[in-house]
Amino acid sequence: MSWGSTYAVTTEFLPADRPLFTGLMRALPAGLLLLALARTLPRGAWWWKSLVLGALNIGAFFPLLFLSAYRLPGGMAAVVGSIGPLFVAGLATLLLGERPTRRTLLTGIAAALGVSLVVLKAAGALDPVGALAALASTASMSTGTVLTKRWGRPEGVGPLALTGWQLTAGGLLIAPLAFLVEGAPPALDGRAVAGYVYLALANTAVAYWLWFRGIGRLTATQVTFLGPLSPLTAAVIGWAALGQALTPVQLAGMALAFGATLLGQRPPRAAASLAPRSEPFSSTEEKEWKVSMDLTGGELRR
């Protein structure tokens, strides 16, 4: 929902036509702040893993997302992004062994349809570069989500440090591209400073910390089904704060997409009871687990 406020803040508070600089200001200050709070640096293989995850979730995702938003007709980038659950379902099958159910596939289609009814507008021809950028941004974030789930976190490292590593790596990757393409930073007034502070703190540091924390506690498919909340929130903010109208078709699309989001949080019954734990058991839970193992003959079957 916080990410859904990005469009309104960008258009109302920030300098125009500086998407890469905006991506840099979102990622790097937030990453450095979280690094200072966590006081933990990667070790061993986690140096390159953090770089890969930072590139997928931040460094490549931000520029591609902004490029698609600038080149595609209104709302098309959000529609392409809404197929993320289907991307994740396929990748989770290959990398996590999570077999997609028929309900997952149908719910993913319903979510994409609902978002398209909310944001899609008839305007101009489809730009091939914009369409490829939108697909690439969705694939990048989806791959980053699945790899974050697959690799987990190093022992003793919390989601705060993991988020800081990725945001810092992603910001450092965006920095040279931003200065090469857009030149020197623009002059900033008070509104722009306030906008960038909001994006760096609430919209990025807190939101991405919650996102990566959630990946450790939910399945990859459950996490990605929260994605449609972003364009839905953007539409509500546009109506409430910017005076934009909501048609009956858009309201129907919002209901469909929100229903798909809720349905996407329901894991299959077998997976709900056998899903791997990302957090250690408490003493009470450990006793219950041992009793369960005794009653089932010492093994669990999928």
Side-chain angles (χ1 to χ4, degrees):
M1 292 177 67
S2 174
W3 293 338
S5 66
T6 304
Y7 175 79
V9 172
T10 301
T11 56
E12 298 299 314
F13 289 85
L14 305 184
D17 301 324
R18 303 304 295 262
L20 293 175
F21 180 74
T22 297
L24 173 62
M25 293 300 291
R26 284 186 66 187
L28 191 55
L32 294 175
L33 173 63
L34 295 186
L35 283 182
L37 294 175
R39 298 183 180 182
T40 304
L41 292 176
R43 295 181 180 178
W46 272 98
W47 281 104
W48 69 263
K49 287 183 179 181
S50 298
L51 182 61
V52 170
L53 294 177
L56 291 171
N57 290 321
I58 309 296
F61 175 67
F62 279 3
L64 289 169
L65 180 66
F66 282 121
L67 177 62
S68 64
Y70 271 85
R71 297 186 67 106
L72 290 179
M76 180 61 73
V79 173
V80 177
S82 68
I83 66 175
L86 300 179
F87 268 96
V88 169
L91 290 170
T93 301
L94 296 174
L95 300 178
L96 302 178
E98 296 180 6
R99 296 184 61 182
T101 64
R102 181 181 303 176
R103 189 189 71 192
T104 297
L105 298 177
L106 292 177
T107 304
I109 295 172
L113 176 60
V115 170
S116 68
L117 293 176
V118 175
V119 302
L120 195 57
K121 301 175 183 177
L126 187 64
D127 182 89
V129 175
L132 288 175
L135 284 172
S137 68
T138 302
S140 179
M141 186 66 170
S142 299
T143 305
T145 299
V146 174
L147 285 179
T148 302
K149 182 67 178 179
R150 178 180 174 87
W151 289 339
R153 300 192 303 268
E155 185 177 356
V157 174
L160 192 70
L162 181 66
T163 307
W165 299 347
Q166 295 188 50
L167 287 173
T168 302
L172 292 175
L173 291 173
I174 295 174
L177 182 62
F179 289 113
L180 181 65
V181 174
E182 298 178 351
L188 303 179
D189 57 15
R191 288 176 59 86
V193 171
Y196 282 127
V197 168
Y198 167 78
L199 288 182
L201 295 181
N203 188 269
T204 303
V206 174
Y208 270 95
W209 167 64
L210 291 172
W211 178 257
F212 292 126
R213 179 176 178 269
I215 290 176
R217 294 168 176 257
L218 304 171
T219 67
T221 304
Q222 285 176 298
V223 171
T224 195
F225 265 112
L226 296 171
L229 290 177
S230 180
L232 297 186
T233 302
V236 172
I237 292 175
W239 167 76
L242 304 180
Q244 298 173 357
L246 286 176
T247 67
V249 172
Q250 288 178 301
L251 293 174
M254 292 177 69
L256 179 60
F258 188 69
T261 298
L262 293 179
L263 189 59
Q265 301 312 303
R266 296 179 58 191
R269 291 182 180 178
S273 60
L274 304 179
R277 289 281 302 230
S278 62
E279 303 290 337
F281 285 113
S282 67
S283 58
T284 302
E285 289 174 325
E286 185 175 2
K287 292 177 182 178
E288 293 176 350
W289 175 259
K290 290 179 179 179
V291 171
S292 176
M293 292 291 284
D294 292 339
L295 293 175
T296 57
E299 63 178 346
L300 290 173
R301 303 178 185 272
R302 281 194 180 274

